[in-house]
Amino acid sequence: MGKGKLILICQSGGEFVTKDDGSLSYDGGEANAVAINPETHFGDLKLKLAELLNLEYKSLSVKYFLPGNKQTLITICNDKDLKRMFDFHEGSVTADVFVIGTSGFDREAFAIETGRASGIKLAETVSPSKASKALVTTDPVSTPAGPSAANLTPNSLADPADGTAHSPITYDVSATPADTVKKRRRAASRKNSTDAPTAAVTKTVRKTKKMAPRRKRMRKDYLTESDDDMEEERDTSAGLDGTNGALDVASEFNNLSPEEMVAMWKDSITGVGQEFKSVIEFRDALQRFSIAHRFRYKFKKNETSRASGMCAAEGCSWSFYASWVPSERVFKIKKMNETHTCGESSKTAHPTKNWLVSIIKDKLRESPHHKPKEISKSILRDFGVTLNYSQVYRGIEGAREQLQGSYKEAYNQLPWFCDKLLEANPGSFIKLVIDNDKKFQRLFISFDASIHGFQNGCRPLLFLDSTSLRSKYHEILLTATALDGDDCIFPVAFAIVDTENDDSWNWFLEELRSAVSSSRSITFVSDKQKGLMESVLKIFENAHHGYSIYHLLDDFMKNLKGPFHGEGKGSLPVNFLAAACAARLDSFRMSAEQVKKVSSNAFDWMMQIAPEYWTNAAFKGESYQHITFDVAESYANWIEEVWELPLIQKLERLLCKMTEMINNRRMNSSGWFTKLIPSREQLVKDASRRAHYLKVLFSSDTLFEVQGDSTHVVDMNKRDCSCLVWKATGLPCHHAIAVFNSTGRNVYDYCSSYFTVDSYRSTYSKSINLVEAIFKPPAKEKASVEEAEQVLPPSSTRTPTTHQKRRRKILGIEHRTVTCTKCKGIGHNKLSCKETS
């Protein structure tokens, strides 16, 4: 086996079986071996597997187990996930992966996708029971010398459903997309010539003696005689989604530079007598011709049997006429004036949406995060086509829909997705809400694994926050996040809502109460600007609410205004945090006075916030003031990688990240052999070293006086020290440890249970089970999905932000009131009026 390579044992066609100990095993099916390297792209691997195993590309998903963990499957979603899986198996020769998807690979649709060398090599098909052994003892990948080393053919490829063998598949990675398209066209041409004698048979039905006009008869003959040819042409020339039968321009010529493409397109239209298979091919050639010669045309007639048009410039003599010739079964140019009299200055190309989508789709394959302005500049530079922002934006939307799936259809799959997710994770809380117009409104998800981890291993502390999903529909992600024993985030529940307002937050908190019902008094932390305190204290009994230190500090810095004195502006955030974390009120006042010395405005801003809601010295709930990072940042980072994907795929990314986080932390904690988690163990050791220099005086069996640089009293019954560190941190301070050493007590008996390794492992003891093939329901379930209640995307209208509302008020701008002309009501128009006439 070559260095830096890994052989994947790709198992498919079987099913997972849960054993008594909770581990999973894979029974049945067959296995194929595929060799990859660190440079392999996930899209290439997915396409090869889809063709190799005869699975639908969009429905295919690839999963694997972490080494030593047979309970949770990890889904590979992109190149980063594939690289991570490769790193997990570093040093191994083989790795088992499980391929799941709907049967049926569309070869025509993806024949153009093999233009990039992928570094994927196929080995012989092997049985599951002998896969690993065969690959260890023999080198399954024969690597010939030369550039075509990847052209390997599997010795056998059996359909797991019927056991019949398919014809061998040869993967020609070195072939260009243009070669593939030419081969496909030659094959279609041979098929047309073979089927010609039978394809020309038509039915004649005589209803009246009166003959139809010649033009209508010609149209009818075209529609009947060429029906098979047109259908075949659509299949042959369609892009990945078959939109209007338009050729995927960029993919067909993606081995050429833009200059070479334009040079070839100049001869797309040659003049009278030129023949095409159909009007679709003619329109496509005309589009390329106009772009290459940089002029705009308009149709006078644009029908399936005939097409005529002229140059869009007024007075220009350039024109054409083409129509279907039934006897020859071709679409032919019959008249054409090839001379332009409009002058060079008026020539400007006008692209169709299909052409624009195909060009943009190729650019997004290279860089998925291209911005509209960048794409507009590149198209102007390469093809001389000027586009406005809305044209490019719509083109990007169309290209992404072809590459990644429909945004609207993703919402329609939500009921099926929620049912499957709940079926895979019993005990979870999942609720989907749609409005009266069948539009998506809210989705709440809290997994049983998250609820169990929060209730059995985390402090009763929840951070409430929100982040945008960066979608065209402007959905918002609401989150409730706990902290594990190591102060790392632990997602407890999240919701996707159409709008963030008081109503949506109240709904989220109501659902959260149902999910995490507990007798414990929970402390909630949120951004002060969200105004959630009233809702939290109303919905949760005996709860506490505090303001997020991260957001307070951010607002504090934004509101700083000079002049600044003393230590200067740089000292203000340090003193602000010192005031928040101060254990005593006098320490809080000292830090506040330091702020006042630098800026009286900053001091006034800080003191207008009630101390009992953000300072450690006055707060009654769980201590959280040391958490100064953005808890919602992890969610934002997870979304950043897939912000352009449809909703279902964003959800899968979130679930994949949560599953990966749980599995990684569970695996890391399996190697801990101390009583406390490593970070807390180190704090106790540091305090123990400081305790050696202290003197302990016995006041009673439970009260002790500890002398050092200062004198403190330790109360063993209350588990408290006058320094207040023990109460604030949950770990004994060095004064208390000095007492333990003097009285022979075990320090670990007085540490908070939330910091023990057992509690940490309990937090991550359960796993989230992902839904298989979530991009598209299996074929056997399509009927039930279609019969389910339809879910439409939410309204894409963005509600004004607080800043926009404030600016409108300052400028005196009033929002126009919409009045219905039907019922004379306010706030809607006649199209959305619900009053019956």
Side-chain angles (χ1 to χ4, degrees), residues 33 37 96 116 126 203 242 332 353 367 430 477 563 614 629 650 776 803 806 831:
N37 57 48
D96 290 325
R116 179 177 62 188
V126 294
K203 276 186 183 179
K332 181 184 291 187
K353 182 180 178 180
S367 178
I430 300 175
L477 179 71
W614 66 283
F629 60 86
K650 286 181 181 177
K776 193 172 182 181
H803 172 73
R806 188 183 300 117
L831 296 177

Side-chain angles (χ1 to χ4, degrees), residues 415-432:
W416 170 87
F417 172 70
C418 292
D419 289 342
K420 287 298 176 184
L421 203 58
L422 191 57
E423 182 181 322
N425 298 272
S428 301
F429 284 77
I430 300 175
K431 186 175 183 179
L432 174 65

